[in-house]
Amino acid sequence: MGGRAIATVVVAIGTLLARALTRSRTRKGATARAGRRRRGRDAGADDELGAFVESERDATMDGRESGPLRGMKFAVKDIFDVRGRRCGFGSPAFEATAGETPKRNAECVDDVLNAGASAIGMTTMDELAYAVNGENPHYRTPINPRARNLIPGGSSSGSAVACAGALRGCDFALGTDTGGSVRIPASYCGVFGIRTSHGLVSMRGVQALAPSFDTVGWFARSIDVLRRVGDVLLPSADEHAPTKPSAWYLLEDSVSDKRSSPHAQCAAVAAVAALNEIDRGKFRRMNLTEHLLVGCPKFQALVGRREDCGLDCLREVLRVTMGAEIWENLGPWYKKEQPVLDPAVEGRLEAAAKLSPTQVELFKEIREEVRETMDRLLDNGVVLVLPTTPGKAPERGLGEKATEEWRKKCFELTCIASLCGLPQVSIPLIAPNVEGPQGLSLIGGYQTDRMLMDAARDLVVELVDAYPDILEAELLRLNPPREPGDAEKAKGNEALKKGKYQDAIEYYGVAIGKNPKNPVYVANRAMAHLKLGNYELCEDDCTTAIKLDRKYTKAYLRRATARSVGGNYLEALMDFEEALRLEPNNSDAKREVNRMKKIIGMADPGMDVGKL
Ligand SMILES: *[C@@H]1O[C@H](CO)[C@@H](O)[C@H](O)[C@H]1NC(C)=O
Ligand SMILES: *[C@@H]1O[C@H](CO)[C@@H](O)[C@H](O)[C@H]1NC(C)=O
């Protein structure tokens, strides 16, 4: 209820912001006219999640009457050329300076139109595709329909959300993936996503980011639709290409405790369970870092003796080689136009500008070495299994600083396919009672895109079935359910620590009211009474606690203390002795037994009384 209300407010603010931006750009005369056959709708009317660019800049196109995708609807990331419409590239500054309006559609857009699918609109994205959160400060952040408080992920944020939310009847959505821009939002939004083998799907008419990494990808809610789009966009299968996985390797270094949250680890566990069902005997674990260290001497030199630095170092190789290409590609525009950009994006561009050529050269060589090693590993149909992201999406509005660490962890997983130009399919996993979807990924050898989608189809039923129980059990193990009154007990303990004994007594009182059979609540209240000098009340509480738990040493000790302060030494002695019987090594009890005995005049003559 609260979440919905907040989400509605966010949408409202987003709409206002979008209108304001449209107006200000119209004044500057920089707004491109909408694409052909725009159907004149209000911004937001059929876009409650904010996935599409504002209506002025939106575009729709009818598909052919026939073809394998006949009747389907698709959304297009605002990075693809559409005839008569300027590409936005997630950046008002870019759009305003982008030059001529394209005279033709991007090749892959035409391919799906010719296959019978109709374009329902252009989707928002991270600025210059140089981010993976989907929180573009120039536009509203699309709402993740599977987890409204979490970010959608990017840079293909709008496409993932349009598909996940079936906005305007969306069946599939086109995106691009350079460092993870399809895979990450697919994982966060709970849809299937594919990053294709580099160079396999035409990039003609697609704004480049880092050409040797850029790929076309797409999202779908079902594996069958994902596959059908692949039949249209991918070249026909090489007859020598493997059609089935020859082996499945779970990358154990992708799910180390340091790296992943329970969502990601449980995705891997579910994959093991599912593979044991469908392809037992072809499955094993592998440590990718170890494999690369053996096969790649330059990579090994980079990792050096640092512990568990394999995937971190691989991510560094991606950051540097990709950054250098991005700067080469966008630097001239950036220097000429001095555009106002998202500060985080600007920071990355500035850093990319400063990369040392020597480092870039070395890292390019490492990339080559890694790519060759991976090609050999994946030859003949080996499939790697790993979580798509290290966990569910972070919360919205955390800010760049807080998400930066997380972003790095994401790249530790996405860099593998990015560096090596390999295809990767992300399968959505959703536990109905737990917030946030999680993707499980398959990476295959170059050009095994179709095989990967078929493998995902073979795996998906068992996988999706296994995941919720595994995740729920793990979360229960990590956070056992609190007993009634536990919250108040915690507040009572806090008050006790701060010396606010009366407050503590009240909190414990509420806890006891909720759960009178819990001896800890009563014994803790006894402690607060003791501190306040309410000896009789302390004694009563201790007696109650002892009735609830005959072996409750602390209750005996507290009652004994209350009794001894009240001058009731004999009874105090009996309690201290009972405590000592329960815990023979308890030095407090030992000392007090001796002290009581001395007071009562029963002190053991052999005892070192002087120390007492
Ligand atoms: C993988 O291998 C590396 C290098 O030997 C090692 O540091 C790391 O701990 C291993 N990871 C796992 C999860 O076994
Ligand atoms: C008590 O201490 C002794 C020696 O210090 C030790 O051997 C014994 O295990 C301890 N017993 C308990 C119950 O902790």
Side-chain angles (χ1 to χ4, degrees), residues 582-585:
L582 289 167
E583 290 180 13
N585 287 355

Side-chain angles (χ1 to χ4, degrees), residues 279-297:
D279 219 357
R280 186 190 290 272
K282 284 196 192 167
F283 159 75
R284 71 175 175 85
R285 290 164 180 272
M286 95 165 297
N287 182 328
L288 185 66
T289 300
E290 223 152 65
H291 186 81
L292 294 178
L293 287 177
V294 171
C296 311

Side-chain angles (χ1 to χ4, degrees), residues 284-356:
R284 71 175 175 85
R285 290 164 180 272
M286 95 165 297
N287 182 328
L288 185 66
T289 300
E290 223 152 65
H291 186 81
L292 294 178
L293 287 177
V294 171
C296 311
K298 286 181 180 139
F299 178 69
Q300 192 185 37
L302 177 71
V303 172
R305 270 186 301 231
R306 278 170 286 181
E307 271 291 302
D308 190 35
C309 173
L311 296 181
D312 323 21
C313 287
L314 212 55
R315 180 201 67 220
E316 273 303 286
V317 177
L318 177 72
R319 186 184 68 82
V320 170
T321 50
M322 189 175 82
E325 269 187 35
I326 292 174
W327 181 249
E328 201 176 310
N329 177 33
L330 296 178
W333 167 78
Y334 179 76
K335 282 192 287 194
K336 175 164 175 265
E337 304 291 345
Q338 304 192 338
V340 178
L341 300 177
D342 172 352
V345 170
E346 186 169 339
R348 268 171 228 138
L349 270 177
E350 295 280 353
K354 295 193 189 92
L355 289 168
S356 101

